[in-house]
Amino acid sequence: MADLPLAALLPRGSAVAADGRLSVGGCDVGELAERFGTPAYLVAEDDLRSRAREMVAALAGHPGGGEVVFASKAFPCTAVYRLFAEEGLGCDVASGGELFMALAAGFPPERIYLHGNAKSEAEIVAALAAAVGHIVVDSADDLDKLERLAERDQDVLLRVTPGVEADTHHAVATGHAGSKFGVRLSDAPAAIARIEASRHLRLRGLHMHIGSQLFDLEPYRAGLAALASLGSFPVVDAGGGLAATYLTDDPAPAPEVWVAGILAAVSELMGEGVRVVIEPGRALVAAGCVTVYRVETVKRNASTWVAVDGGMSDNLRPMLYDARYEAVIADRVHLTGGERCRVAGKHCESGDVIVAEAHLPDPRPGDLLVTPATGAYVHAMANNYNGVPRPPVVFCSDGSARAVVRRETYEDLLVRDA
Ligand code: PLP
């Protein structure tokens, strides 16, 4: 496939003016940086909404019906939960904290799925008390707890590890035999029998999630075939995993292609009448957000180092997954080429490199540097390494901007002192 233009990495609705200035959601990035400071996560609200609508539309024609469930670990903040609740999506939560945020945002409990390979009793109690729609059983120990704690009927799915290898970073491959998630295919019949015999648990179907940042549909088909071997159920949850586009030379499949592939496999292997749940995270939120930083220093030695006022505290993905990003300078986006640079953060670690290779036109201290496609697992994994306060999340739409998560302050760094 031909390389994409750089603009394809920016949130939908972004624009580059004739003088090279970038705007997101109708807001000039330079003005946003003045108003909200740097670093900041800038989210084009309409981008998130349009991607949600595309996923829903892709699933809409399936005879058995289906549901798009936002895997909220990708971007867990109240405003994002609220946005996807408004779009009619379901929501997957992987902890009591995510459940708390989803409920605080007004997510209808019946559209919430509770996940987790190590759910505590307290998390299960909270989910039962909230009357979440589904709890995804991950192990025999989960079943012990659920059987003990459920006092009324509860719909559940059983997460099965189908034993497929997905082509992705090992840290986000989850469908292989030996994964920490789900029950083995060979253990599934006993778990199914146990749920079917339980007093309050209602087995709606099977679940798999084979990995994240996936480009290939074949492992989904293989995984669904494994699930189909376990019997017929009204629902199948094929998990998330659709890749996002981070680099111009590595475009991700379109959501409708991904959904069509899953639906075709389900129809063929399980029947058209089976309800299909999908749980995209990254594909809904990665592209709609950019991070804007201020360049603090430019140093030339064996490399040209462009060091910014953030780094591994606001984006851990390059360090955890060797994730690659591109970068542009916010008022010179129209200039192509430029000097080959490494974009470093401000942290006390040599691994704190957020863009291993960028081409920047005459980078200077004071420039605003933008990394596209930072909506997924970025704010979600932000931390306070080196006592760096976490950035705000700013929603931009139709030329107006509002902070939906404020910037942390130095005082916030002391609030948990006991
Ligand atoms: N569903 C489950 C159970 C997951 O664990 C994850 C990610 O870890 C997802 C969905 C979302 O994956 P992605 O963001 O790749 O779509």
Side-chain angles (χ1 to χ4, degrees), residues 40-101:
Y41 303 117
L42 308 179
V43 177
E45 200 177 332
D46 296 345
D47 181 293
L48 268 47
R49 289 190 190 279
S50 68
R51 287 177 203 275
R53 287 172 198 174
E54 276 172 15
M55 283 284 181
V56 170
L59 205 56
H62 180 61
E67 186 174 14
V68 179
V69 171
F70 166 50
S72 68
K73 70 206 73 175
F75 202 157
C77 76
T78 319
V80 174
Y81 281 105
R82 192 172 298 130
L83 181 151
F84 287 125
E86 285 167 6
E87 292 299 328
L89 269 52
C91 168
D92 117 25
V93 297
S95 71
E98 287 181 357
L99 173 62
F100 181 80
M101 286 189 278

Side-chain angles (χ1 to χ4, degrees), residues 67 69 92 112-116 119 132-139 142-143 146 154-160 182-183 191-192 195 201-208 227 233-239 274-279:
E67 186 174 14
V69 171
D92 117 25
I112 295 179
Y113 291 67
L114 176 71
H115 279 283
K119 301 178 192 76
V132 301
H134 292 82
I135 296 182
V136 183
V137 175
D138 195 88
S139 65
D142 249 9
L143 269 178
L146 270 166
Q154 173 65 53
D155 283 350
V156 300
L157 301 175
L158 175 67
R159 180 166 179 171
V160 177
V183 299
I192 290 168
I195 299 172
L201 306 183
R202 299 283 162 263
L203 182 62
R204 302 288 302 141
L206 304 180
H207 171 283
M208 68 174 198
L227 264 47
F233 299 92
V235 177
V236 65
D237 186 332
V274 173
R275 180 175 168 80
V276 176
V277 179
I278 51 171
E279 297 174 339

Side-chain angles (χ1 to χ4, degrees), residues 12-387:
R12 289 172 177 168
S14 299
V16 179
D19 64 358
R21 290 175 70 93
L22 174 64
S23 63
V24 171
C27 305
D28 179 76
V29 169
E31 287 171 18
L32 293 174
E34 284 304 316
R35 183 169 156 206
F36 296 100
T38 55
Y41 303 117
L42 308 179
V43 177
E45 200 177 332
D46 296 345
D47 181 293
L48 268 47
R49 289 190 190 279
S50 68
R51 287 177 203 275
R53 287 172 198 174
E54 276 172 15
M55 283 284 181
V56 170
L59 205 56
H62 180 61
E67 186 174 14
V68 179
V69 171
F70 166 50
S72 68
K73 70 206 73 175
F75 202 157
C77 76
T78 319
V80 174
Y81 281 105
R82 192 172 298 130
L83 181 151
F84 287 125
E86 285 167 6
E87 292 299 328
L89 269 52
C91 168
D92 117 25
V93 297
S95 71
E98 287 181 357
L99 173 62
F100 181 80
M101 286 189 278
L103 293 171
F107 231 104
E110 65 277 12
R111 301 204 316 244
I112 295 179
Y113 291 67
L114 176 71
H115 279 283
N117 69 305
K119 301 178 192 76
S120 68
E121 284 202 2
E123 288 172 324
I124 292 174
V125 166
L128 292 169
V132 301
H134 292 82
I135 296 182
V136 183
V137 175
D138 195 88
S139 65
D141 294 321
D142 249 9
L143 269 178
D144 289 345
K145 290 179 194 163
L146 270 166
E147 282 181 335
R148 202 165 57 243
L149 297 168
E151 287 172 355
R152 54 172 189 257
D153 286 0
Q154 173 65 53
D155 283 350
V156 300
L157 301 175
L158 175 67
R159 180 166 179 171
V160 177
T161 317
V164 300
E165 301 280 342
D167 181 17
T168 188
H169 191 276
H170 66 86
V172 291
T174 48
H176 52 290
S179 159
K180 73 168 186 167
F181 296 102
V183 299
R184 281 190 301 196
L185 204 55
S186 55
D187 293 333
I192 290 168
R194 201 175 144 190
I195 299 172
E196 283 175 340
S198 80
R199 176 146 177 248
H200 286 307
L201 306 183
R202 299 283 162 263
L203 182 62
R204 302 288 302 141
L206 304 180
H207 171 283
M208 68 174 198
H209 172 72
I210 56 176
S212 195
Q213 188 59 7
L214 305 182
F215 290 79
D216 186 9
L217 272 159
E218 191 43 45
Y220 285 91
R221 193 183 176 73
L224 290 166
L227 264 47
S229 73
L230 294 169
S232 303
F233 299 92
V235 177
V236 65
D237 186 332
L242 174 60
T245 300
Y246 292 103
L247 303 170
T248 53
D249 62 1
D250 204 15
E256 54 273 21
V257 173
W258 181 68
V259 174
I262 290 172
L263 292 180
V266 169
S267 297
E268 184 190 319
L269 298 162
M270 299 174 172
E272 283 202 325
V274 173
R275 180 175 168 80
V276 176
V277 179
I278 51 171
E279 297 174 339
R282 186 189 306 275
L284 289 174
V285 293
C289 177
V290 303
T291 309
V292 58
Y293 301 95
R294 183 76 65 183
V295 174
E296 298 290 2
T297 58
V298 177
K299 187 184 289 179
R300 291 182 175 82
N301 51 28
S303 308
T304 296
W305 291 101
V306 175
V308 298
D309 55 358
M312 62 193 294
S313 54
D314 61 74
N315 188 357
L316 258 185
R317 292 193 63 255
M319 300 80 207
L320 287 180
Y321 314 118
D322 300 320
R324 289 163 60 211
Y325 288 89
E326 311 229 15
V328 295
I329 295 185
D331 65 0
R332 302 201 281 289
V333 182
H334 60 321
L335 300 180
T336 53
E339 189 175 353
R340 184 170 165 177
C341 307
R342 288 164 77 72
V343 179
K346 67 186 274 104
H347 295 278
C348 296
E349 170 172 325
S350 290
D352 179 32
V353 175
I354 47 181
V355 185
E357 184 179 334
H359 292 88
L360 300 174
D362 186 22
R364 300 182 288 259
D367 278 341
L368 293 174
L369 182 135
V370 169
T371 50
T374 55
Y377 306 103
V378 176
H379 162 80
M381 294 184 182
N383 60 81
N384 290 128
Y385 183 39
N386 290 138

